[in-house]
Amino acid sequence: MSLAIAGTGHRPEMLRRNTVADNARIAIVLSGLLMPFAIYWLIAGSALPFVISATGLVAGMITLSLHQRRLFEHAAAGQVYALFFVGLLLSLASGHIADAGLAIAVMAPVLASLIGRPELRRQSWMILAGFVALAFVTNLLSLPVFPMPTSVLFGTSALSFAVCVTIVLHSSHRISVAFEVYDKSQVNAYRHLIEHVQDAVIRFSSDGEVLLASRTSETLFGCRRYELSGSGLGERMHVLDRPAYLTAFADANQGGKVRTIEVRMRQDDPRATALPRFIWVEVSLSPVLDAATEGVRHEVVALFRDITDRKDNEVAMAEARRAAEEASEAKSRFLATIGHELRTPLNAIVGFSEMMTSGIGGEPSATHKEYAGLIHQSGRHLLEVVRMLLDMSKIEAGKFELQTEPFMPATIVQPCFNMLEAAAQEREIRLVANIASDMPMLMADERSCRQILLNLMSNAIKFSHPGGTVTVSLKRQGQAINLSVSDHGVGMAPDSIKRVGEAFFQEQNGLARQYEGTGLGLSIVKGLVDLHEGTLRAISEIGAGTTMTVLLPINGPATNVVETDTVTPLRREPAAAPIIPWQDEKRKAQ
């Protein structure tokens, strides 16, 4: 583990490293204290005590140096190997299997488990196995490698064992204290988190009793924490929400599932100056899963969050949506009513003005004929506006019914050309049709498709420059019919393209606009295309013209399973089983 990882948040790791340094210092101090006795025995003719004391002193210095160089794993391994080396020397000197050398060697894996990594632990057990085998061979041959007096061997073994035990006990104590301190710090951190978290935290036992309630629960429920124990929490829940809460709690307590519900709970006024009120609370129930409690009930930790403001906002939004829908419906009813009320007198105005211009009631003067023509033209314009308003109101109200039937899409182009030919000639616009061959039948409302094309062509003629060209293209594109109307007129800005199909929207607004219109043409087109489950696309550039593309599904609004989208798989009948004639032949032979 790097130093960046082993910071203040990894206290066991830091204490393990400090333990390695302390072990090195203990080995240096104790070996230094025993060195005079070792030198005395060396002069007396016994070199083993001096070798063991020097080993402890050198191992302590080397491992302490490695620790100061931040080679912590090498330092821990050096201490473990030093124990093995001391145990090996004593075992060779004794020549017995069960001696102080074996006891010291057994302590080496214990020390490795305390201060080492898993790799060092595995190596220590493998070395111990080899050590036991070597001791067994030495005992079998009864050949002590370092013969010496029994008193010297006993004293050396006892002192070496005492030093090794001291190092191992010190390591065990430090590591256990490290984990104890770490556990306490973790508990304190979690307790601090629970006490200061914004949501109320309540811990339930496996029997449903309240074990712990955070400080924030007092703020949420307006009562002391001890008042939530027993049946205090359940009594605060709204009667209608208790079944849902009990079901969710059972799922977490018995089934070990995480559940989140929204309930109403009573909130008291801690100052007792106002009546209690019910608030909306989001309850998140999480089971405390443990392998030891598998198959039985679990403890449950619940988070209670006040969501009253969110619920109030949802109610306000629902009310605003309802008011907007009612206003939209009222607008549609108004448009439909006023449209029908205007259509009757407008038909009379248009009809009588046409009669006046034709001279049915007498030949009018030139001035009167001009005035009658203006009345007729204005009346037809108003009728067209009323018709568009009625269509728009029907589409918005969802009452525009499509009469779908198969027809050839090319048949609607020429009638639209005939209807708009006068307007095109007035602006010197040339109409061009580009219809692909082998067009399939289209399942759609023919009148609506004709209206789509008329509106698109009217806009193209209106916004084209004099002498320009309006092209109508019709082709098949996959499982749809591509109907495109393009011009080379004024074009639209990118922001305006995003608003294509919006009701009453026009590229030029204000009193100084050059082009007349209500802004309903493209909105009606978009509504009719959506009813056909088609797509409306616009490609435009200011000064370069506009191309409006409509994609209508060949199979109509409700996709039918026909040959355009389904490939019928070929199925082969299984071959008939061959008839074995040997039974009949056998009967004939008998």
Side-chain angles (χ1 to χ4, degrees):
M1 185 180 295
S2 64
L3 290 177
I5 298 176
T8 56
H10 295 77
R11 295 182 181 178
E13 175 63 20
M14 295 301 297
L15 290 176
R16 183 186 73 87
R17 295 177 178 180
N18 294 335
T19 301
V20 174
D22 292 341
N23 291 342
R25 296 187 183 98
I26 292 173
I28 293 173
V29 171
L30 295 181
S31 298
L33 292 176
L34 295 176
M35 183 57 70
F37 301 98
I39 294 175
Y40 172 77
W41 280 327
L42 177 63
I43 296 174
S46 299
L48 182 62
F50 178 80
V51 173
I52 293 178
S53 181
T55 300
L57 189 63
V58 172
M61 292 180 177
I62 293 176
T63 55
L64 184 60
S65 176
L66 291 173
H67 182 276
Q68 292 175 352
R69 295 179 181 178
R70 304 191 183 280
L71 300 175
F72 306 108
E73 305 309 323
H74 294 77
Q79 295 179 5
V80 173
Y81 295 153
L83 289 184
F84 276 120
F85 183 73
V86 172
L88 178 63
L89 292 177
L90 291 175
S91 180
L92 293 177
S94 172
H96 299 285
I97 296 179
D99 53 6
L102 180 61
I104 294 175
V106 170
M107 283 190 289
V110 176
L111 182 63
S113 64
L114 292 174
I115 64 174
R117 293 297 181 190
E119 183 179 358
L120 179 60
R121 299 170 192 172
R122 291 191 297 268
Q123 292 178 0
S124 63
W125 286 109
M126 294 174 61
I127 295 174
L128 180 62
F131 184 92
V132 173
L134 181 61
F136 178 79
V137 173
T138 304
N139 180 54
L140 184 63
L141 298 177
S142 300
L143 295 174
V145 179
F146 304 114
M148 64 179 62
T150 305
S151 59
V152 176
L153 179 61
F154 178 79
T156 304
S157 301
L159 293 175
S160 301
F161 184 78
V163 172
C164 295
V165 168
T166 302
I167 293 175
V168 173
L169 290 179
H170 172 265
S171 301
S172 176
H173 175 71
R174 290 295 302 272
I175 297 299
S176 62
V177 170
F179 278 98
E180 182 178 355
V181 172
Y182 179 74
D183 292 340
K184 288 182 179 179
S185 65
Q186 291 292 94
V187 171
N188 292 333
Y190 291 140
R191 183 176 300 169
H192 178 81
L193 176 63
I194 291 175
E195 291 294 334
H196 295 83
V197 74
Q198 186 176 2
D199 300 336
V201 182
I202 297 180
R203 181 181 179 184
F204 298 91
S205 67
S206 58
D207 297 330
E209 296 292 333
V210 176
L211 298 178
L212 179 144
S214 64
R215 183 183 305 172
T216 49
S217 61
E218 298 180 351
T219 305
L220 179 62
F221 299 113
C223 64
R224 307 297 294 177
R225 282 184 270 189
Y226 65 84
E227 297 180 21
L228 299 175
S229 60
S231 59
L233 182 64
E235 291 176 353
R236 292 183 172 274
M237 195 163 299
H238 198 281
V239 177
L240 298 179
D241 296 333
R242 290 179 185 177
Y245 172 78
L246 293 176
T247 302
F249 187 87
D251 291 342
N253 178 246
Q254 301 177 11
K257 302 177 181 178
V258 178
R259 288 290 181 263
T260 301
I261 59 172
E262 297 176 356
V263 297
R264 290 161 289 184
M265 302 192 73
R266 189 180 77 246
Q267 184 186 60
D268 298 334
D269 185 6
R271 294 172 295 181
T273 58
L275 295 175
R277 68 188 185 105
F278 278 94
I279 60 174
W280 278 100
V281 178
E282 182 185 72
V283 185
S284 299
L285 301 168
S286 302
V288 181
L289 301 178
D290 189 358
T293 60
E294 186 175 359
V296 298
R297 295 187 176 183
H298 309 280
E299 294 185 357
V300 178
V301 176
L303 296 180
F304 293 79
R305 175 176 297 177
D306 187 358
I307 58 171
T308 305
D309 294 339
R310 190 184 76 186
K311 282 291 185 179
D312 293 342
N313 293 335
E314 291 178 358
V315 172
M317 291 178 61
E319 182 65 22
R321 187 184 300 108
R322 184 189 62 81
E325 291 175 353
E326 290 181 355
S328 178
E329 186 178 355
K331 180 201 70 174
S332 300
R333 288 199 304 268
F334 171 77
L335 291 177
T337 302
I338 198 67
H340 286 292
E341 292 296 329
L342 289 175
R343 178 175 288 182
T344 300
L346 284 175
N347 284 328
I349 292 173
V350 171
F352 283 109
S353 62
E354 188 175 358
M355 292 173 61
M356 292 174 62
T357 55
S358 61
I360 294 179
E363 188 66 27
S365 63
T367 303
H368 290 165
K369 192 171 184 179
E370 180 183 358
Y371 291 165
L374 293 175
I375 294 173
H376 179 74
Q377 182 179 358
S378 299
R380 290 187 63 86
H381 177 71
L382 285 176
L383 274 178
E384 182 65 19
V385 171
V386 170
R387 182 189 63 79
M388 295 176 69
L389 287 173
L390 289 176
D391 290 342
M392 192 65 199
S393 63
K394 287 181 181 180
I395 293 174
E396 287 185 349
K399 297 181 179 179
F400 195 100
E401 297 181 359
L402 298 179
Q403 303 294 331
T404 59
E405 57 182 1
F407 68 95
M408 292 299 297
T411 57
I412 66 173
V413 177
Q414 190 58 42
C416 293
F417 275 31
N418 296 336
M419 296 172 64
L420 297 174
E421 185 177 1
Q425 290 179 356
E426 183 180 352
R427 294 182 55 84
E428 299 179 357
I429 303 297
R430 187 167 63 96
L431 303 179
V432 178
N434 185 9
I435 303 175
S437 58
D438 299 331
M439 292 289 294
M441 299 286 287
L442 175 64
M443 179 66 71
D445 188 341
E446 185 176 357
R447 184 181 67 86
S448 299
C449 294
R450 188 182 299 111
Q451 186 173 356
I452 291 172
L453 182 57
L454 282 174
N455 289 350
L456 294 180
M457 291 182 62
S458 298
N459 280 349
I461 294 172
K462 182 193 303 184
F463 295 105
S464 293
H465 299 298
T469 302
V470 173
T471 304
V472 177
S473 300
L474 196 62
K475 62 181 179 179
R476 176 170 181 169
Q477 182 174 334
Q479 298 180 14
I481 296 296
N482 184 316
L483 174 62
S484 300
V485 178
S486 59
D487 62 75
H488 302 282
V490 295
M492 291 187 294
D495 294 337
S496 300
I497 295 177
K498 298 178 182 178
R499 301 182 62 183
V500 165
E502 183 179 332
F504 304 103
F505 169 74
Q506 288 182 309
E507 171 71 13
Q508 296 181 354
N509 292 321
L511 299 176
R513 63 183 185 179
Q514 302 178 5
Y515 305 97
E516 297 181 353
T518 59
L520 292 175
L522 288 181
S523 61
I524 293 176
V525 170
K526 188 176 187 306
L528 294 176
V529 171
D530 291 341
L531 288 177
H532 283 83
E533 298 181 4
T535 305
L536 175 64
R537 299 174 182 172
I539 301 175
S540 182
E541 184 180 352
I542 295 179
T546 304
T547 299
M548 302 297 299
T549 302
V550 174
L551 297 177
L552 298 176
I554 295 176
N555 301 324
T559 303
N560 300 321
V561 181
V562 293
E563 70 279 356
T564 57
D565 61 349
T566 301
V567 178
T568 304
L570 296 177
R571 297 183 180 179
R572 295 183 178 181
E573 294 293 335
I579 300 176
I580 302 176
W582 68 271
Q583 295 179 350
D584 296 336
E585 297 295 334
K586 185 177 181 181
R587 293 193 187 98
K588 292 180 180 179
Q590 292 177 349

